[in-house]
Amino acid sequence: MTTRTEGFDRLVEPFRAELLAHCYRMLGSAHDAEDLVQETYLRAWRAREQYDATRSSPRTWLYRIATNACLTALEVRGRRPLPSGLVASRAPLDPLVRGDEVSWLQPLPDALLDAGDPARTVVDRSSLRLAFVAALQHLSARQRAALILRDVLAFSAAEAAEILDTTVVSVNSSLQRARARVKEAGVRQDELGEPSAAEQRAWVDRYMRAFQRADVEALKRLLTQDVIMEMPPMLNWFAGPGNYGLFMDWVFGKGGTDWSVREIAANGQPGFAAYQRDGEGYELHTLQVLTVTAGGISRNSVFTDPAVLASFGLPPRLDDAGEEPEPGAADAMSSGPRAGM
C-alpha cells in the first residue's frame, strides 16, 4: 500500500501549484481553490486504477478531474466580482455602502504557489492578475473553462474537448464567446505581465513611502489618469487621481497619519499590508494589491475581509517600531482588522 501511495504521489504532486492556480481562476477564491485541489486529488486517488497513460498524460487527466470539480462547484456558487465590475462608480465622499450579500473576488497569496519545490512550480502569474480573474467572473462556467484551457494553459482544442467531455465545435464556440466578453471588459491577458517585477516593486515602494507620510499629493503623482480604487466589501469605487486623492484625504483625516506597512505579493502583483496606529502599536487595517503599468499605478484593490487577511499570515498587530510583537505579548490580542479603508 505504501509503495502504491508513493507512486501516486510522485505522479500527481508536481502539478499541485498549477492546479491551485487553475481552480483559483475558475472560482475566484483562494480558500475554495485549495478545497477543490484536495477534492481533485481525492477523486484522482479513487480513480487511479482507471487511469490509462496511453490515452492521456497525467497532466491532462488531472486537469479533467479538477475542471469538472470546479464546474460542479460553480453550479451552486455565484460569480465573484469586484465592485468596478458590478456597480457604477461613486463620488469619493459618498457614504460607504457595504455589499455583504456579495461573494467578492479574493486575492491569491503568491506564497501558496511558491510552496514546495520551486523547480516544479511553473505558473503563468500574468494569468492570475486580479483584473483578468475579475473579467473571467463575467463568463459562464463552461466559457470560463474553455478560455482558461485554451488561452491560458495552451491545451489544444481536442485536449480541451477531452477535458470538458464535449466536442471541438462546442469548445471553439464557447471560446469565441468568452474572448468577446473578456475583450468587452477591456482586459488583455497577454499584456498583463509588464512592466518587470523589479519595476513594479519600485513603483509600489514609492507608493508605500508616500502612504506612510500620508502625502496625498505624492500618491496622486504615482497614479495613471484612469486609475481605479475599489475596496470590497464596500460597493464604493472611484476613478481618476482627483477622486482617489479626495478619498485618501478622507482616509487620513479619519484614520490619522501614522501608519506602518509590510510588503506582500498576490496574484503575481505587488502590494502591501497597511497598519494603523492604535495606542502603543499598529493594528492591521487593510491589504492593498496594486496594478502597475509603465505609466504608474492603474488600480488599487483594497481588502479588509478577515479571512483574506488571515490567508496571508499577517500579524494582527505591530509594535511601536513596526515589528511583530513577541508571542504572548500583552498587545498580541486584537479585536481584528477594521472594516473599510
Side-chain angles (χ1 to χ4, degrees):
M1 181 67 176
T2 300
T3 301
R4 292 171 63 190
T5 301
E6 291 174 351
F8 176 80
D9 289 344
R10 285 195 299 272
L11 179 71
V12 302
E13 195 60 30
F15 303 100
R16 184 175 292 274
E18 61 175 291
L19 289 173
L20 176 64
H22 178 56
C23 292
Y24 172 75
R25 296 184 195 98
M26 289 289 293
L27 299 167
S29 163
H31 177 75
D32 289 351
E34 289 185 294
D35 286 347
L36 265 293
V37 171
Q38 292 302 111
E39 175 68 17
T40 295
Y41 279 111
L42 179 60
R43 292 188 187 188
W45 171 255
R46 290 172 176 169
R48 65 192 183 282
E49 301 296 342
Q50 286 76 50
Y51 170 61
D52 183 354
T54 65
R55 294 188 57 195
S56 64
S57 68
R59 183 172 184 262
T60 301
W61 178 60
L62 287 170
Y63 268 101
R64 178 171 185 168
I65 296 171
T67 301
N68 282 282
C70 289
L71 292 173
T72 299
L74 287 170
E75 291 176 0
V76 296
R77 304 180 196 187
R79 65 190 181 97
R80 286 181 171 269
L82 286 173
S84 59
L86 186 66
V87 297
S89 63
R90 302 186 181 219
L93 300 183
D94 282 353
L96 294 177
V97 178
R98 295 183 66 90
D100 290 328
E101 73 285 357
V102 180
S103 295
W104 296 105
L105 179 67
Q106 298 175 347
L108 177 69
D110 279 11
L112 291 181
L113 299 178
D114 295 334
D117 183 356
R120 294 177 172 178
T121 304
V122 182
V123 176
D124 177 8
R125 303 298 174 99
S126 71
S127 68
L128 295 171
R129 299 289 194 262
L130 279 170
F132 181 64
V133 179
L136 293 176
Q137 302 301 304
H138 295 280
L139 307 177
S140 71
R142 295 190 74 83
Q143 288 173 359
R144 199 179 306 177
L147 182 72
I148 294 169
L149 292 171
R150 293 285 283 115
D151 286 359
V152 175
L153 299 170
F155 282 107
S156 68
E159 289 170 326
E162 177 190 345
I163 289 170
L164 292 170
D165 193 23
T166 188
T167 64
V168 169
V169 171
S170 178
V171 167
N172 288 337
S173 177
S174 293
L175 179 61
Q176 184 177 14
R177 291 194 296 271
R179 284 172 173 168
R181 290 294 302 275
V182 171
K183 185 177 180 180
E184 288 172 6
V187 176
R188 287 186 56 185
Q189 185 268 326
D190 60 352
E191 292 181 349
L192 291 175
E194 300 294 335
S196 71
E199 291 170 320
Q200 290 184 60
R201 192 72 254 174
W203 279 102
V204 175
D205 287 345
R206 291 167 63 192
Y207 187 98
M208 289 167 57
R209 289 194 294 271
F211 186 95
Q212 284 187 281
R213 298 194 308 269
D215 186 341
V216 174
E217 291 304 313
L219 291 176
K220 289 167 60 177
R221 289 194 292 271
L222 299 171
L223 308 176
T224 63
Q225 289 304 304
D226 58 352
V227 67
I228 287 174
M229 172 186 279
E230 52 195 339
M231 43 194 173
M234 302 302 170
L235 293 172
N236 308 60
W237 64 277
F238 320 112
N243 288 331
Y244 196 114
L246 285 173
F247 182 71
M248 292 308 302
D249 279 330
W250 177 85
V251 168
F252 294 133
K254 182 175 183 294
T257 58
D258 189 356
W259 298 77
S260 186
V261 296
R262 279 198 169 190
E263 292 184 8
I264 61 97
N267 296 74
Q269 299 173 238
F272 65 97
Y275 288 79
Q276 183 182 24
R277 166 64 76 175
D278 179 32
E280 297 182 355
Y282 298 87
E283 183 181 10
L284 181 57
H285 188 261
T286 56
L287 184 148
Q288 306 186 33
V289 181
L290 301 175
T291 301
V292 184
T293 69
I297 293 167
S298 64
R299 184 185 294 259
N300 186 359
S301 299
V302 182
F303 299 91
T304 62
D305 181 357
V308 169
L309 301 180
S311 71
F312 282 78
L314 294 165
R317 292 189 61 81
L318 302 176
D319 62 21
D320 262 343
E323 300 295 334
E324 185 174 357
E326 292 295 325
D331 62 350
M333 299 299 292
S334 170
S335 59
R338 301 172 183 173
M341 178 71 176

